[in-house]
Amino acid sequence: MRDEAVTVPSDAAFRAAVLERLSSDHGGRRDLCSVRRAMAAVLRGVVVPIWQSALERGAGHKRVAYLSMEFLIGRLAGDTLLSLGLRDAAKAVCLELGLTLDDVLEVEPDAALGNGGLGRLAACFLDSMATVGCPAVGYGLRYEHGLFRQGIEDDKQTETPEDWLSRGYPWELRSARSYGIGFFGTVTDGVWKPSETIWAQGYDVPVPGWQGSFAGTLRLWAAEAVQSFDLGRFNGGDHVGASETEASARALCRVLYPDDGTEAGQTLRLKQEYFLSAASLADLLADHRAAGLPMETLPDHVAIQLNDTHPAIAGPELMRVLIDEEGLEFDAALKLARGVLNYTNHTLLPEALESWPEMLLGWLLPRHLEIIRMLAGAMPGAGILGGSEVRMGNLAFAMAGRVNGVSALHTELMKETVFAGLHRQHPERIVNQTNGVTPRRWIAGCNPGLAGAVTAAIGEGWLTDLERLGELEPLQPGVVEAMAEVKRANKVQLAAWLGATQGVQVDPGAMFDVQIKRIHEYKRQHLNILETIALWQEMRDAPQAGWVPRVKIFAGKAAPGYHFAKEIIHLIGKVARMVNADPVTGDLLKVVFLPNYNVSLAERLIPAADLSEQISTAGKEASGTGNMKFAMNGALTIGTLDGANVEIRERVGAENFLLFGMTAEEVSSRRAIPDHAATAIEAEPRLARALEALRDGTFIPDWPDLFAGIADNVSGPDHFLVASDFADYWRAQREADRWFADADGWAEKAALNVARSGWFSSDRTIRGYMADIWGISPVSA
Ligand code: Z16
């Protein structure tokens, strides 16, 4: 229900407002950027009152503080137009100005304040909390440069800074909230005197829920100098040095650490983590005090969610405030802290579990190290300290009321592996909340054709009640055809875009096979490209053998220091060059690596995909969320029993899912076999031949052994079991060919994937957190 107090302009009023903005703010210019900014200004004028009235409605209600180092929100204009029902009006104004809405939307820079799944999950959660009526503030950092922009030169990754803020960001409001955050210094008798203070200045991005039903806030902290300009120093002739404190403060929020699933391990990173944690706690405690509420009632008014261990220092910081500022006893403080803190774990990869040397932590945050040592003393079995390091996962677990994993399998593995000891001590603490994605952006926004077909079949209302997709069953023949027609149109559109922007001609009738995600050995893009090479080799052997045409699409960023991942990108590029120019295979096989994968590129690719590649080594991908987006857009998954793939397969049905590979259990026992890779390669001549092509200069004649490193890894240690899973992957891929050759059969399976993916809405996930972790009921309409 739209709030009665909220007014969304009529189409005519919207048009008039945009034209007025264009003339008043942009001198009547009608270029893409001016129109985009004029439209954003008008939308902001609609959103801000919606936001304010929602804040009033939520006042006094228990709320969530979602602490996350990453929020990968992408572009906002399209989402806002859709939510407010102004998309058609905006299309019309743009046409009147001689532009298309798509072109206008595309000049908005992506706000890429995140690396991958974890940051995008936080963005989906903001949308869902605002939609289901869960009062929330998402607390994050206002990085000047988000994730780097990836270029491809000579088929290799290049990195340049992304500047989403340089032309002003129309969706934010500089808030009245700001706090001084201390660092370094000394502690005497439990009193911390920091030697450096940096100002945390809040910037609010209003987050309107669907159709203005409710709203939330994304509050991003910017680092500013307490005193930015030293006039004395300037007058003394030190013109540059006069701004030094300003420069050093601003360095704190300069960049997002570009790591996904690997530990950053830098002092500046810890500084960022503390800055986020301390500013956010100061903010929510200020609200609590301003409401005149006693500190003991904090758990009745706020639930703090730690998104991974990145903000785990919030635990000791809360203890510090409660003990040092509020005068609570240690035990009482711990009880209170555990009443508000909860922790979401997103990975079991040992190299990704944060730990900080005690020396470093004690230097930057001396009082916090003392408190951590007290915590470790009070909970000797918790494993908070080890090897002179503070283990942040154990710390977060020890201080949390609830700890959750992000898929059923991941949660079970948490109990058996990283947190086995802690789980035995606290068997009620770990719960599962399987991830989800917002269907507003990931169906209606990116795939309007599919949304139209669904609405035609089952009526309105499903976008906020996604389980209603189930009403598509039993499938009516007209519905399956309509969805297949939408898919075909999306593929034609993508093919045109690939031709225009990448210079690659692809056949829209081919199977569009897509793997888009961060590049990582455990995600196994190298398994995919090796299968591609083997397929190419077989096609060349027998071009007339009735192959199903394929377009292999890859995109993803590699962490700048992750050499192996960069080699995988390089290899994909070289294979693409060779294959795409091969007259023998021609339209049978095309390979594309698209640069600068981001939210907007995902929105373009997912609606046009036939096959979704979810091929991580079982036990390694905590959940995955791209897997859900593909399924709800009618792609079939080829995947392992890993993360949420397991639950996707259970729901869409085994006969509509291309399963392959070892289970997590089989992976562990297989790894224990000496020569597991060599044995697998010996048994699979196709793989041996594909690996040979990496060593003999097939793809780079001037430098024949360039990719020998990848071949050696797969042949030797092969920690991620590429060799051992190859044969079954090949089998599943040929099964995919057979299924695809039966167009009607495929269309039905695709439609069933859509009809059965309603459970993967992040609205369901958020309701789960509200009920099982936060103890929050929705604010009524
Ligand atoms: C991240 O994106 C994830 C885990 C992590 O420890 C750090 C980062 Cl930056 C991902 C998981 O890899 C993925 O499986 C999961 O779907 C996602 O977080 C959201 O839970």
Side-chain angles (χ1 to χ4, degrees):
M1 261 312 97
R2 190 179 274 178
D3 189 331
E4 289 310 316
V6 160
T7 44
V8 174
S10 67
D11 289 8
F14 178 76
R15 172 187 172 275
V18 172
L19 295 178
E20 193 186 306
R21 278 276 168 184
L22 269 180
S23 76
S24 65
D25 296 0
H26 300 272
R29 286 191 308 273
R30 296 167 160 226
D31 57 288
L32 290 171
C33 290
S34 301
V35 174
R36 149 129 122 128
R37 295 168 71 108
M39 218 155 69
V42 173
L43 289 174
R44 172 183 154 134
V46 181
V47 163
V48 169
I50 291 177
W51 178 57
Q52 283 167 338
S53 97
L55 293 187
E56 278 163 31
R57 274 168 57 207
H61 209 90
K62 184 172 181 182
R63 62 209 170 90
V64 179
Y66 195 85
L67 268 61
S68 178
M69 288 287 280
E70 307 193 10
F71 286 93
L72 198 43
I73 57 179
R75 294 177 178 142
L76 295 186
D79 228 37
T80 309
L81 286 170
L82 178 70
S83 173
L84 298 177
L86 289 168
R87 200 151 66 166
D88 289 338
K91 266 186 197 159
V93 198
C94 291
L95 281 184
E96 186 182 335
L97 295 165
L99 307 169
T100 70
L101 176 60
D102 284 347
D103 289 344
V104 170
L105 295 182
E106 226 176 285
V107 293
E108 174 174 353
D110 264 52
L113 311 181
N115 275 291
L118 170 148
R120 183 54 233 176
L121 183 75
C124 283
F125 280 7
L126 289 178
D127 181 84
S128 283
M129 290 188 289
T131 294
V132 309
C134 178
V137 182
Y139 284 107
L141 292 183
R142 187 172 175 273
Y143 304 104
E144 216 169 295
H145 303 288
L147 189 57
F148 66 87
R149 178 194 298 269
Q150 178 196 54
I152 298 291
E153 266 170 45
D154 291 334
D155 303 312
K156 287 185 288 205
Q157 169 170 304
T158 60
E159 297 120 28
T160 48
E162 185 74 81
D163 62 346
W164 64 296
L165 281 176
S166 64
R167 278 155 291 162
Y169 191 64
W171 307 112
E172 72 181 4
L173 294 86
R174 192 178 155 102
S175 124
R177 309 298 187 105
S178 60
Y179 306 92
I181 307 301
F183 298 94
F184 304 105
T186 50
V187 181
T188 14
D189 299 326
V191 180
W192 179 28
K193 269 191 74 186
S195 61
E196 182 186 8
T197 300
I198 296 178
W199 210 247
Q201 169 64 49
Y203 285 82
D204 287 353
V205 181
V207 181
W210 178 244
Q211 296 187 333
S213 50
F214 192 62
T217 306
L218 172 58
R219 183 160 294 159
L220 300 173
W221 301 111
E224 294 180 358
V226 173
Q227 196 201 1
S228 63
F229 185 67
D230 188 336
L231 188 61
R233 241 171 122 174
F234 189 88
N235 288 337
D238 187 1
H239 300 154
V240 176
S243 307
E244 195 181 291
T245 53
E246 168 81 33
S248 110
R250 277 182 58 188
L252 196 148
C253 279
R254 191 85 68 188
V255 296
L256 162 77
Y257 275 85
D259 281 289
D260 179 293
T262 50
E263 191 206 318
Q266 313 270 340
T267 313
L268 185 61
R269 169 78 177 188
L270 181 56
K271 223 173 162 182
Q272 289 183 333
E273 293 180 350
Y274 178 65
F275 187 71
L276 165 67
S277 304
S280 308
L281 281 178
D283 194 49
L284 62 90
L285 290 173
D287 282 338
H288 192 75
R289 291 187 189 110
L293 297 162
M295 208 37 78
E296 285 70 27
T297 65
L298 192 63
D300 303 331
H301 296 276
V302 64
I304 299 174
Q305 195 66 36
L306 306 175
N307 196 25
D308 220 310
T309 55
H310 312 153
I313 194 69
E317 169 67 2
L318 181 55
M319 294 290 288
R320 183 190 69 81
V321 174
L322 294 177
I323 297 170
D324 296 357
E325 293 177 11
E326 300 289 329
L328 267 71
E329 296 296 328
F330 178 87
D331 290 340
L334 180 55
K335 184 159 176 275
L336 206 54
R338 214 181 264 133
V340 295
L341 293 168
N342 306 285
Y343 156 53
T344 305
N345 172 278
H346 294 267
T347 185
L348 305 172
L349 297 184
E351 69 270 28
L353 295 172
E354 283 184 304
S355 60
W356 295 104
E358 287 185 51
M359 279 272 287
L360 172 68
L361 204 146
W363 173 55
L364 185 69
L365 301 168
R367 177 62 178 149
H368 296 77
L369 182 61
E370 283 186 0
I371 290 171
I372 289 168
R373 287 183 172 148
M374 290 196 268
L375 288 163
M379 294 175 275
I384 294 172
L385 299 175
S388 305
E389 302 210 320
V390 183
R391 298 157 74 193
M392 303 307 275
N394 292 60
L395 175 67
F397 191 114
M399 298 206 63
R402 285 274 181 276
V403 175
N404 76 285
V406 289
S407 74
L409 174 66
H410 166 66
T411 301
E412 286 317 302
L413 292 174
M414 271 170 72
K415 295 177 185 169
E416 288 165 21
T417 61
V418 269
F419 296 125
L422 279 161
H423 174 58
R424 258 193 308 277
Q425 294 168 40
H426 308 281
E428 75 303 327
R429 198 169 295 179
I430 297 184
V431 296
N432 177 244
Q433 298 297 338
T434 298
N435 285 166
V437 302
T438 168
R440 271 74 67 183
R441 181 176 293 258
W442 295 109
I443 302 179
C446 67
N447 199 346
L450 178 61
V454 170
T455 302
I458 64 170
E460 308 264 354
W462 55 274
L463 265 182
T464 48
D465 184 8
L466 204 64
E467 297 263 24
R468 280 198 51 210
L469 287 178
E471 293 169 20
L472 290 166
E473 286 193 80
L475 290 176
Q476 305 300 313
V479 175
V480 177
E481 279 153 26
M483 288 193 196
E485 196 36 62
V486 167
K487 182 65 77 180
R488 166 90 195 169
N490 293 343
K491 289 171 70 180
V492 167
Q493 210 183 338
L494 179 62
W497 183 83
L498 288 172
T501 63
Q502 312 297 311
V504 199
Q505 306 306 321
V506 304
D507 168 12
M511 187 198 300
F512 283 17
D513 168 341
V514 186
Q515 187 173 18
I516 48 175
K517 48 183 81 246
R518 288 296 288 256
I519 313 291
H520 208 296
E521 282 162 281
Y522 84 76
K523 296 177 188 282
R524 298 198 297 192
Q525 281 91 356
H526 51 331
L527 173 59
N528 188 349
I529 197 66
L530 281 166
E531 190 271 336
T532 306
I533 295 168
L535 177 62
W536 176 59
Q537 290 169 329
E538 294 222 349
M539 284 175 163
R540 285 177 64 87
D541 291 346
Q544 308 301 336
W547 296 99
V548 171
R550 283 255 184 165
V551 180
K552 285 266 187 184
I553 299 171
F554 295 84
K557 293 175 183 178
Y562 191 172
H563 178 72
F564 196 90
K566 289 180 150 181
E567 275 188 65
I568 293 173
I569 293 176
H570 195 184
L571 173 62
I572 296 170
K574 290 299 177 208
V575 172
R577 220 167 259 288
M578 183 65 59
V579 168
N580 296 350
D582 184 357
V584 178
T585 45
D587 261 3
L588 287 180
L589 184 62
K590 294 287 173 203
V591 182
V592 193
F593 186 93
L594 295 168
N596 203 36
Y597 179 56
N598 59 13
V599 172
S600 297
L601 185 56
E603 290 171 26
R604 185 186 292 283
L605 296 174
I606 290 169
D610 294 307
L611 189 66
S612 159
E613 297 270 356
Q614 308 300 338
I615 62 177
S616 50
T617 313
K620 294 290 179 187
E621 189 70 270
S623 162
T625 45
N627 47 5
M628 301 167 185
K629 297 166 196 167
F630 279 104
M632 60 178 66
N633 280 277
L636 270 62
T637 305
I638 184 165
T640 47
L641 281 181
D642 200 15
N645 292 355
V646 177
E647 289 152 270
I648 292 176
R649 180 166 172 269
E650 272 166 14
R651 295 194 184 252
V652 306
E655 64 289 358
N656 305 304
F657 185 108
L658 291 142
L659 178 70
F660 79 96
M662 288 175 285
T663 63
E665 223 165 285
E666 288 164 351
V667 162
S668 327
S669 46
R670 177 81 192 171
R671 220 178 255 137
I673 301 174
D675 298 335
H676 56 84
T679 323
I681 295 167
E682 215 166 291
E684 181 61 22
R686 284 189 189 99
L687 174 57
R689 189 177 173 202
L691 288 169
E692 194 43 40
L694 264 49
R695 296 190 169 105
D696 69 6
T698 300
F699 300 110
I700 179 151
D702 305 346
W703 195 349
D705 61 351
L706 179 66
F707 299 121
I710 297 178
D712 290 349
N713 186 292
V714 170
S715 314
D718 196 23
H719 184 72
F720 297 98
L721 299 158
V722 169
S724 298
D725 266 346
F726 183 92
D728 203 32
Y729 181 51
W730 175 272
R731 177 203 54 76
Q733 286 286 15
R734 302 294 74 79
E735 179 87 349
D737 286 342
R738 279 189 297 278
W739 287 7
F740 194 75
D742 168 14
D744 293 343
W746 185 277
E748 186 176 322
K749 289 175 188 299
L752 288 172
N753 267 269
V754 176
R756 298 174 181 178
S757 57
W759 193 72
F760 297 100
S761 167
S762 45
D763 298 348
R764 184 268 310 151
T765 314
I766 284 303
R767 291 192 175 105
Y769 277 82
M770 290 169 76
D772 307 341
I773 300 180
W774 300 332
I776 294 182
S777 54
V779 171
S780 49

